[in-house]
Amino acid sequence: MAEAKRALITGITGQDGSYLAELLLGKGYAVHGVVRRTSNLLRSRIEHLRSEESIYNQQLFLHYGDLSDGTTLRRIFAQVQPDEVYHLAGQSHVGLSFEIPESTSEEVAMATLRLLEICRDQGHALRFYHASSSEVFGAATESPQTETTAMRPANPYGCAKAFATQLAQVYRNAYGLFVCNGILYNHESPRRGENFVTRKIARAAARISRGLENELVLGNISARRDWGHARDYVEAMWLMLQHSKPDDYVVATGVTHSVRDFMEAAFAVVELSPEKYLKTDPAFHRPAEPAKLVGSPVKIERTLSWKPQTTFEELVHEMVQAELAAIAPA
Ligand code: G4F
């Protein structure tokens, strides 16, 4: 029997990392994840995998490491000898990046450089996925954006992602490394962090409907985003590394909705009208918002036969239902 492929995931305890780990385990991979010493694994999104005896330390392995610690990362690469590396880790909150630009750049930009340098030194061929973002387009000059749209980031996070994305391209072109950038638009799920707007709304709708809260405080509700489901998007990551040649791909639905649309759909699930509960607070406004961010999935559809499977309505429904289920019965 052929030996299982080995995947190494940075950010395995995050939303995308957890879905990706499930996908790869289902495909028979040996999955190795880098976790920070401070990660609370007990409450993490991979706890269901970690507590499964037939999986943990059989097919799923965790290694303590930190993106700032190149020596340890190098040691993990030497131990694991990964066939595929999925680099997903890093501070990912755009609003927060205005407050902590330096550490955001360290984690997002410099850590990607550190990993690419380690890849360059590996004795065996490996494939590297870099989680780029629609935020590289920022004040985009065209809509929808494609793989050839100019990068014009509008916040520190977008700048750091643009640096990492371009560096990934340089390592692909200069050293012939198999490196792919997935330029992902917003992707959500019940596993989304609570300070992102979709999870915040889904949670509030559920809790208000059960009488546990009585308001939802938001920033700019006219902002529009191209929202897909994280489970669909990790499939796109995997497909990129299976293709015969490395490339960059926009991963998006091609459709936008406003924050207000999301809020109305979420409150409709619990049969409430949001207006009574909505408050706005300038504290949640960003110093700058990107232009209309909507991606064209044409290239990935044509080349990798990837299509989003989950509709906006299904996504909202799943997120609100998960929040309702998480509330202990009275
Ligand atoms: O949910 P958000 O914080 O996501 P954002 O800024 O679009 O970034 C996410 O998607 C990017 C593209 O994939 C990723 F690169 C990035 O890492 C992250 O995953 O905000 C969405 C929109 C924004 O326009 C924001 O101004 O919602 C608006 N918004 C309105 N009220 C709010 C709120 N955002 C948050 N987080 N909290 C609010 O109360």
Side-chain angles (χ1 to χ4, degrees):
M1 209 171 79
E3 207 192 325
K5 270 194 190 175
R6 288 179 301 272
L8 180 64
I9 305 176
T10 72
I12 193 169
T13 57
Q15 168 187 259
D16 296 2
S18 64
Y19 282 116
L20 181 64
E22 286 169 3
L23 177 84
L24 297 176
L25 289 168
K27 291 182 183 297
Y29 278 69
V31 176
H32 295 257
V34 181
V35 292
R36 271 183 300 186
R37 189 84 202 171
T38 52
S39 295
N40 186 347
L41 291 170
L42 248 188
R43 290 181 50 213
S44 89
R45 300 168 179 93
I46 56 165
E47 182 50 28
H48 61 295
L49 302 173
R50 214 172 68 99
S51 58
E52 183 63 60
E53 271 182 29
S54 63
I55 293 180
Y56 189 51
N57 282 338
Q58 305 294 324
Q59 214 192 330
L60 171 69
F61 308 87
L62 299 179
H63 307 260
Y64 281 119
D66 194 290
L67 291 181
S68 63
D69 181 347
T71 313
T72 308
L73 291 173
R74 223 169 247 284
R75 192 172 299 131
I76 295 171
F77 268 71
Q79 274 169 9
V80 174
Q81 300 267 310
D83 300 297
E84 296 174 12
V85 178
Y86 296 87
H87 173 38
L88 315 179
Q91 197 296 99
S92 65
H93 197 278
V94 172
L96 202 56
S97 78
F98 282 103
E99 284 165 46
I100 49 166
E102 207 172 314
S103 60
T104 299
S105 302
E106 251 303 319
E107 281 182 29
V108 173
M110 290 309 290
T112 306
L113 169 60
R114 204 164 284 133
L115 286 167
L116 286 166
E117 274 292 280
I118 296 174
C119 289
R120 187 154 79 92
D121 294 342
Q122 297 306 297
H124 67 289
L126 54 73
R127 297 182 172 211
F128 185 90
Y129 170 83
H130 168 241
S132 180
S133 160
S134 56
E135 288 292 334
V136 300
F137 298 128
T141 46
E142 57 183 8
S143 250
Q145 295 87 42
T146 71
E147 293 76 8
T148 57
T149 300
M151 294 189 193
R152 297 184 70 203
N155 50 62
Y157 171 81
C159 289
K161 280 287 179 197
F163 172 95
T165 305
Q166 290 178 325
L167 208 65
Q169 291 166 347
V170 167
Y171 274 63
R172 181 170 69 216
N173 298 332
Y175 303 122
L177 291 182
F178 195 112
V179 177
C180 298
N181 285 305
I183 308 171
L184 268 58
Y185 283 64
N186 298 49
H187 44 290
E188 317 295 314
S189 77
R191 299 183 193 175
R192 191 57 146 145
E194 284 169 19
N195 56 355
F196 292 92
V197 79
T198 55
R199 177 83 192 278
K200 187 173 168 183
I201 294 172
R203 190 172 150 83
R207 293 178 68 81
I208 290 171
S209 78
R210 294 281 171 87
L212 296 172
E213 277 173 27
N214 55 20
E215 62 178 26
L216 166 61
V217 187
L218 293 175
N220 178 6
I221 58 169
S222 311
R224 300 187 76 83
R225 285 292 185 278
D226 178 334
W227 277 300
H229 198 301
R231 201 173 34 225
D232 296 343
Y233 286 33
V234 300
E235 175 94 31
M237 299 175 188
W238 176 75
L239 285 170
M240 284 177 217
L241 295 200
Q242 310 317 305
H243 195 52
S244 51
K245 67 179 186 49
D247 209 342
D248 298 340
Y249 297 91
V250 161
V251 185
T253 67
V255 181
T256 64
H257 291 90
S258 65
V259 172
R260 173 180 283 284
D261 294 338
F262 195 101
M263 178 181 72
E264 284 172 352
F267 277 75
V269 175
V270 291
E271 297 174 354
L272 288 175
S273 161
E275 298 306 331
K276 207 170 127 196
Y277 310 100
L278 174 65
K279 291 202 168 61
T280 52
D281 184 338
F284 292 109
H285 280 259
R286 311 252 165 102
E289 275 281 355
K292 192 178 170 200
L293 286 183
V294 53
S296 164
V298 168
K299 177 174 169 182
I300 191 163
E301 276 182 29
R302 279 200 195 131
T303 318
L304 305 180
S305 304
W306 179 88
K307 260 187 190 223
Q309 301 298 315
T310 317
T311 65
F312 176 75
E313 289 71 26
E314 287 166 345
L315 170 68
V316 177
H317 195 264
E318 184 184 329
M319 289 183 72
V320 178
Q321 288 300 343
E323 295 299 334
L324 288 169
I327 298 171

